[in-house]
Amino acid sequence: MGPASGEVSSGYGLGDVRIGIDLGGTKIEGIALDGSRQCARLRIDTPRDDYAATLDAIVALVANLQNTTGPAATVGIGIPGTVATTGLVKNANSTWLIGRPLQVDLEARLGRRVRIANDANCFAMSEATDGAASGADVVFGVIVGTGTGAGIVVRGQVLSGANGIAGEWGHNPLPWPDDDERPGPSCYCGKSGCVETFLSGPGMTADHERSTGRRELPAEIALAIDRGDRAAVSTMKRYERRMARALASVINVLDPDVIVLGGGMSNIDRLYDNVPRLWSEWVFAATGSAPDVRTQLVRASHGDASGVRGAAWLWP
């Protein structure tokens, strides 16, 4: 386990204090919230491929945060996967967690109940509670970065679903595909043409390379657009149209009040104007000459902290 880094503020109020843990593939981050106020935030390296050491790291991080909050704080944990009805972790890209009774083991080690949710659900919970979608009834929180995932919050509660996979939008096929989008790139899940293969950061890079022969990261493509590079503009327009179709299918099923974008791709400013303008072509409510789509597309308020804050907010 690497050394802890972060910041700790002395003193906290007498309100409800919550600890959130974001268990990632390379780092484990912890936060202590007094209401919406951050009173401590720490980060340590993840002991990759070592389940026992991962448990030790989480327990140590909670103990360090409790030096600020006191022992009465609740603990919520976001993981890159889900806990199945069997109590075992599944669908985790941190593969050493798969098949492990993480919640049972942590509750035994910490001596208290903990709540565990998918990291995308935690992101959505954070933004629905005191972030960009605060006060909205139905929130769809999208993380578009190295991968593509999403979480759903309805009236302040995470919607997990019967199989624990609600919001797994990235592993549905890209809707209304153009001829040159079939069958689509291969996905690690074993299918082809998944939303993730088009809308993740690596997905944009691969699409740009197929079109131009140049391998450039999304940030480089965005800078090229500023210089008037026509190929970069074409790549971005394809991306926007694909995101508009993918989110239109979500609106047609879930009809959220707000869609919040997080992850590295959420830093592309033009998405927030262009994608809602484009999605009217596919949203069922957008009929006639004056499309009426009330769903808002907004950028996450808490940035990289949304996941860990949402883990803390798993306790209402």
Side-chain angles (χ1 to χ4, degrees), residues 1-20:
M1 181 178 71
S5 62
E7 56 186 30
V8 176
S9 303
S10 60
Y12 55 92
L14 297 178
D16 296 326
V17 182
R18 301 168 177 83
I19 288 174

Side-chain angles (χ1 to χ4, degrees), residues 220-229 231-237 270:
E220 295 170 328
I221 295 169
L223 288 174
I225 291 172
D226 293 338
R227 298 193 302 268
D229 186 310
V233 171
S234 294
T235 296
M236 188 63 69
K237 285 184 174 180
R270 55 183 282 162

